[in-house]
Amino acid sequence: MGKKVLIVGGVAGGATALTRLRRLDEKAEIIMFERGEYISFANCGLPYYIGGTIEERDALIVNTPEALMKKYNVDIRNFSEVTDIDREAKAVKVKNSKTGEEYTESYDYLILSTGSSPIKPPIPGIDSPNIFSLWNIPDTDMIKNYVDKEKPKRAIVVGGGFIGLEMAENLHDQGMDVSVVEMQDQVMAPIDFEMAQIVHEHMKSKGVHLHLKDGVSTFEYKDGVTTITLQSGEKIEGDIIILSIGIRPNGELAKASGLEQNQRGGIIVDKYMKTSDDSIYAIGDVIEVEDYINKVQTMIPLAGPANKQGRIAANNILGDSKQEYNGTQGTSIAKIFDLDVASTGVNEKTLIRMGKEYKKDYDIAFIHQNSHAGYYPGALPMTMKMLFDMEGKVLGSQIVGYAGVDKRIDVLATAIRFGGKVENLIDLELAYAPPYGSAKDPVNMIGFVADNIMNGMTEQVLWRELDDLDKDEYKILDIREDVEMELGTIEGSTHIPLNELRSRLDELDKEKTYVAFCAIGLRGYLAERVLKDNGFKAMNLAGGFNTYKNMYMQSETGLDQEPKTFNESGMVETNVGKQ
């Protein structure tokens, strides 16, 4: 008889560990306990079932206990909660929630995959009957049944993270008037503020009401309607409320058994996924991991890392050699209405929080590019931000766009994982045909921009630095074409189109420093080179007017309600690629 391994909890990590254990040893005794009914389901698909994109509920069920037991010859016990771990006896106490039966089960090794749960703070009225959280199949059923039966007209989502915004979109698809309440000044915490502004404007254009920098003070339920009083004093009403405030690790079992934990209740594991007990491993949302970029301990609840951790734990329990988990870099993507929002590695907020300084410890490249060749129909814009250190090592990237975002973030995530530098992005040979990309892919292009910054070919000014420039020393130069001025300009700027710049240099003062800008930064860079090569001091506005207007020229309904594409000269083309 082989070793006996117990797994507490299923879904991503637990189910992966179970199947890997069986593939490693046909004789091992493997038992999984799940306190709920469902051991393997598609968490990320839950909002789309509520919204109707996924039509069949059964599509959410990845595997049933019966199917896994038959295929892998394992013992799966759902409706079975592990209530205690006796580390000295190497046994767990189990309670069957259906029958009330309690019993003990011994183990050689134990894997904890207890996951996490939505945070439910003690806010007055939070237990109102039309307030829900979305985390599992039963949650989904309750929300779907409520929507189908009560036909709510107004929805309020509290929390602007992944699940919150996906729910906002899907409730909107059900015809509801949707509001989003977020305590921070932006939605989507993994991306930086200027990138989130693109998301804000897009959501406004869809009719979603954003309440940023404002939290919930109280909930008050009456006759099917909940009135939320915000911390600002504003009151908003909803027929259905979705809480998406955050999650906490389910670390109670580990705590009761004396396993080492961090301040948030996350289980501390070593690089082999082993806890402070040599016979107990832990994986998934419940554990603390190492940030792959900064090499600090953190918690990053994502399905991809949980699957990898499950495989590694199984390998280290039953495999012939030890395998290390090399950290989590937080690669993620979400669909927010028509936009794709993706990130990988570290963001600038985190670098600043760690005491890192712009231009001293890291630098930034911004570009606006098309998803594929602009002359081929259907090209749509994307905005990319990349962070790199002073030696050129790529630290992180964020992309917001309408198409092609997923493959670019995956390329950059791969580059980061292999220690890639700016110069490596330039060297990448990526698949190209007009329907799919450009001969100089956006990943290559952001490498070119970063390389120019590192080599001193360009000096850039960020949108946030413009207001701090000495107006007597620095002058803003708008080098766009006359027709582009209809989109607005930067107050106090001088307008000289790029094609006229060389013939009008006598209008400029060599004692001043000119900050050139165009739509996306490409022509601004060309103007910077023209000026510098003619003896002027010049800089380029990073990301051009597109980035500037996202920060300073928002309208109530959204400045850009239709996506625009760019031609090869970096000019905005309206009604191109419109779908």
Side-chain angles (χ1 to χ4, degrees), residues 108-298:
D108 294 313
Y109 291 96
L110 179 65
I111 299 176
L112 299 179
S113 179
T114 49
S116 56
S117 298
I119 292 173
K120 193 174 182 180
I123 300 173
I126 199 167
D127 293 320
S128 299
N130 64 347
I131 297 180
F132 304 91
S133 295
L134 179 65
W135 201 241
N136 53 33
I137 296 289
D139 293 339
T140 306
D141 290 339
M142 284 191 292
I143 296 171
K144 187 73 163 62
N145 291 338
Y146 190 88
V147 169
D148 291 345
K149 181 181 178 182
E150 302 297 334
K151 304 290 191 296
K153 298 291 191 296
R154 297 166 299 176
I156 301 173
V157 177
V158 182
F162 285 88
I163 293 177
L165 297 193
E166 288 169 351
M167 279 303 298
E169 176 185 350
N170 281 280
L171 294 175
H172 179 276
D173 287 348
Q174 289 290 307
M176 296 182 214
D177 183 63
V178 178
S179 298
V180 174
V181 176
E182 170 56 54
M183 282 193 67
Q184 304 302 316
D185 60 359
Q186 66 166 83
V187 299
M188 299 295 288
I191 64 176
D192 289 318
F193 186 61
E194 62 268 47
M195 303 295 284
Q197 286 289 72
I198 305 170
V199 183
H200 297 161
E201 285 302 289
H202 185 64
M203 293 180 70
K204 289 178 185 178
S205 76
K206 296 296 183 180
V208 175
H209 313 289
L210 292 179
H211 301 267
L212 302 176
K213 299 178 69 174
D214 212 350
V216 174
S217 179
T218 63
F219 299 99
E220 185 176 348
Y221 177 80
K222 184 179 180 181
D223 298 330
V225 177
T226 290
T227 300
I228 297 180
T229 301
L230 301 178
Q231 293 174 358
S232 64
E234 182 182 359
K235 294 180 183 291
I236 54 177
E237 293 183 344
D239 306 311
I240 183 171
I241 316 295
I242 303 295
L243 298 179
S244 184
I245 300 172
I247 61 172
R248 60 168 183 80
N250 293 331
E252 297 86 356
L253 186 62
K255 182 179 181 180
S257 64
L259 295 177
E260 189 176 353
Q261 292 178 290
N262 63 17
Q263 290 184 340
R264 294 177 58 187
I267 302 173
I268 295 175
V269 297
D270 64 13
K271 58 189 177 181
Y272 304 112
M273 314 312 301
K274 187 188 296 181
T275 69
S276 51
D277 185 313
D278 286 344
S279 299
I280 303 177
Y281 290 70
I283 57 178
D285 290 5
V286 75
I287 69 167
E288 178 182 85
V289 297
E290 182 180 77
D291 182 312
Y292 181 75
I293 305 298
N294 299 312
K295 306 304 178 186
V296 297
Q297 298 307 113
T298 187

